[in-house]
Amino acid sequence: MMEALDHLVEKLDGLAPKAAVVLGSGLGGLVDQVKDARRISYAELPGFPRSGVSGHAGEVVAGHFAGTPVLMLSGRAHYYEHGNAAAMRPALEVLAGIGISHLILTNAAGSVDPEMGPGSVMLLTDHINFSGSNPLIGEPSDRRFVGLTEAYDAGLRGAIEKAAKATGTALHRGVYMWFSGPCFETPAEIRMARVMGANA
């Protein structure tokens, strides 16, 4: 981890972002809006994942987005690629090591809510883990016992809601259900997700 951290700090060349965004499918183009961009391939950073999914470039892009220093991860490893729920852990630990205090995760998901059609934006309020796995399995200390009653920071959600209102962006709120993939859900699983309270 230290090798990746030192290399990333060197490449940032004095830039000290406090926020990072992991870009999900369909959002890779956001990196083109980063000003004074510094691009670092995941291949240069030991422990960073190699994504095998199309549209995931596999690079860190750092610079200024809307005037704010930011670091974007264009691409990530998925559980269904390797069966490792903690595949992104080394990368996230490096982000914490360089001082990232705010992390925004994004992804593309299918809606099971009739009020939320294709292309909608949903802010997560909670999640249901139906994958049969957990990234904390095997953690060799009491750090594995993480409380999740406030997994989605209220302050950060409030800031996102304020930004959506200011830009006229329709923002849905809902519960995300994590299936292992890679296949899509069956009609019966979709009905089950609705019954269990999921929106996507």
Side-chain angles (χ1 to χ4, degrees):
M1 182 183 113
M2 290 306 300
E3 184 180 349
L5 193 154
D6 291 343
H7 186 69
L8 186 55
V9 168
E10 179 184 347
K11 290 288 188 177
L12 290 178
D13 191 28
L15 185 72
K18 296 298 181 185
V21 184
V22 179
L23 300 174
S25 299
L27 292 178
L30 275 180
V31 299
D32 296 330
Q33 298 180 37
V34 176
K35 305 298 183 185
D36 304 316
R38 302 144 170 88
R39 294 176 178 264
I40 307 103
S41 169
Y42 287 176
E44 298 178 48
L45 301 168
F48 271 60
R50 308 291 187 268
S51 176
V53 178
S54 60
H56 289 250
E59 64 177 355
V60 174
V61 179
H64 291 84
F65 183 80
T68 301
V70 69
L71 188 148
M72 293 188 181
L73 272 64
S74 183
R76 65 167 178 270
H78 301 77
Y79 172 63
Y80 60 75
E81 292 180 78
H82 315 288
N84 178 11
M88 287 297 294
R89 178 173 177 165
L92 297 180
E93 288 180 340
V94 168
L95 296 189
I98 65 169
I100 296 295
S101 58
H102 293 75
L103 180 66
I104 298 174
L105 305 175
T106 69
N107 77 310
S111 169
V112 298
D113 185 342
E115 301 298 318
M116 191 166 56
S120 298
V121 179
M122 186 181 93
L123 178 64
L124 271 64
T125 58
D126 207 342
H127 73 263
I128 300 168
N129 181 353
F130 202 73
S131 70
S133 186
N134 189 302
L136 293 171
I137 291 173
E139 175 66 36
S141 72
D142 284 351
R143 291 176 61 195
R144 75 188 85 183
F145 303 119
V146 176
L148 293 178
T149 54
E150 297 180 7
Y152 300 95
D153 185 79
L156 189 54
R157 282 191 286 127
I160 292 171
E161 289 171 342
K162 183 178 179 181
K165 185 175 182 180
T167 58
T169 302
L171 184 66
H172 298 264
R173 296 156 190 82
V175 176
Y176 175 78
M177 192 165 190
W178 176 29
F179 289 86
S180 67
C183 59
F184 296 117
E185 290 69 43
T186 67
E189 289 170 336
I190 292 170
R191 292 193 299 271
M192 176 197 67
R194 287 196 188 109
V195 169
M196 293 181 71
N199 301 94

